[in-house]
Amino acid sequence: MTPRKRRVRTRRLACVAVTAAATATLVSGSAAGAGQDDGPSPAASSAPTATTTPPAAGSPAFGAYLHYGEPGVARIDGLSRWLGGADLRVGHTYLPGDRWSNIEGAPNFLEAWADWRNAREDRVFVLNVPMLERNEAGVPDHEVRRLLRQGAAGQFDHHFRALAERLVALKVPDTVLVLGWEMNGVTYTHRCGPDPEAWKTYWQRIVTTMRSVPGQEFRFDFTPSRGRDAIPWTQCYPGDDTVDIIGMDSYDQPHGMPFDEQVREPYGLQAHVDFAKAHGKPISYPEWGLFRNGDNAEYMRRMLAWMDEHKPLYNTLTDYCPHGVWMCSANPRAAEVYRSVLSGRTGGPAEPPTSPDPTPPGTQPPAHCSPLDLGDWVEYWLGGKLCLRLDWWSRTR
């Protein structure tokens, strides 16, 4: 199958032009992505090797990607209210992959997430970690191959040791780390295809390095995108000793593919479940949602039923347009399904909804401000919607 490309999530709009004739007001509410902005071998790890953590009893733990930074934390309560008080136990964000200093966990980036995680014992913090800097810069295969081999030789170990130390210091040593996600595709510099053997060795070094940090309890989530993509994801699997969870990013694509085919296709949903079972690992869905087939209520219904059946350790819906349902008004039918299925869930059987908040954030413009329809993609990059305030006045001669 032709490699699948999704819209890049991790760039931000740098500036907004304001004319003298009118003032454009930003109405927050759309989720924006994180800004994208070598060493010795790791010490022998005294930490235990990976162990299998079974899924929690009852309904799967779930949440949504709502924003990479503090707004993402703040929006969790709003989504919970919209879902009739559902218990969103999973918080999910991404480290910027522009430069190594951000991959190490830039100051003031992780604190809000750490505070959210530590407020309750049963919460799960999921952090996507790029394996290389310039992660969305379109780095050519030959350079990716060189970088993977440098990583396999230990030249980048110190960056991941720094990240591990930072997470332990923030008291989130049990973070789920989605390392090198969608490695079977072509989007990211940390892709596997240019040199699978170097990629696997590099993964193993990163995990060994991070496990060597005292106090860590990390779980490492190997997460390809659904289907074959640029390379079969099984060719990138680094081995059971350094993988705790086998995830899958699964969007409703390509165009025209029904859900049953998404299940049956080579390296699809069923293959994922079977592979994880054969390796004694729990599954996860760090990214999932609508995409090429629009407001597809049937996909939403079937995907939720699939997860109820197979009980992943956690799942997080990507909740911005075109993928989401709460902060994306373009998918009302799928939103109705998502809300009806998950309203009131608390980690056990579904409960009746309790006075849900019907209005997602950012959907009401300020007074005397006319909304501009710029399209979902532009609003995504802006991090919200724009409205136009026109100030009229009379002029005498």
Side-chain angles (χ1 to χ4, degrees), residues 131-202:
M131 292 170 67
L132 292 167
E133 65 176 350
R134 297 183 296 142
N135 199 37
E136 297 184 28
V139 177
D141 280 356
H142 69 87
E143 188 171 354
V144 169
R145 189 176 302 111
R146 177 181 63 83
L147 291 168
L148 291 176
R149 291 174 181 176
Q150 287 179 346
Q155 292 190 30
F156 308 135
D157 290 353
H158 59 290
H159 298 300
F160 296 97
R161 185 177 296 107
L163 173 61
E165 290 171 348
R166 176 147 181 73
L167 291 170
V168 170
L170 288 170
K171 296 182 173 55
V172 283
D174 58 351
T175 298
V176 174
L177 302 171
V178 186
L179 181 63
W181 69 100
E182 299 182 15
M183 77 300 294
N184 56 324
V186 297
T187 302
Y188 301 111
T189 302
H190 64 217
R191 61 191 181 271
C192 170
D195 195 332
E197 293 307 313
W199 192 94
K200 290 185 284 188
T201 301
Y202 184 25

Side-chain angles (χ1 to χ4, degrees), residues 219-276:
R219 287 175 288 177
F220 291 89
D221 191 331
F222 171 83
T223 299
S225 56
R226 196 197 77 240
R228 186 186 188 281
D229 218 323
I231 182 174
W233 51 262
T234 53
Q235 294 183 21
C236 306
Y237 187 68
D240 292 345
D241 288 347
T242 56
V243 172
D244 299 289
I245 305 162
I246 298 177
M248 178 163 281
D249 287 353
S250 185
Y251 290 89
D252 186 21
Q253 64 169 338
H255 179 72
M257 178 180 279
F259 188 81
D260 286 335
E261 190 173 346
Q262 296 179 28
V263 172
R264 296 191 305 261
E265 69 173 326
Y267 310 102
L269 290 171
Q270 188 63 55
H272 169 230
V273 169
D274 293 344
F275 186 87

Side-chain angles (χ1 to χ4, degrees), residues 50-74:
T51 57
T52 299
T53 304
S59 299
F62 71 100
Y65 172 74
L66 301 170
H67 187 278
Y68 69 97
E70 290 188 28
V73 179

Side-chain angles (χ1 to χ4, degrees), residues 87-108:
D87 188 10
L88 276 66
R89 293 197 293 114
V90 187
H92 186 190
T93 193
Y94 300 74
L95 285 173
D98 55 344
R99 57 178 66 91
W100 281 118
S101 60
N102 284 331
I103 296 173
E104 291 177 359
N108 303 317

Side-chain angles (χ1 to χ4, degrees), residues 315-328:
N315 78 80
T316 45
L317 175 76
T318 301
D319 195 50
Y320 58 74
C321 285
H323 310 304
V325 293
W326 181 49
M327 294 196 297
C328 182

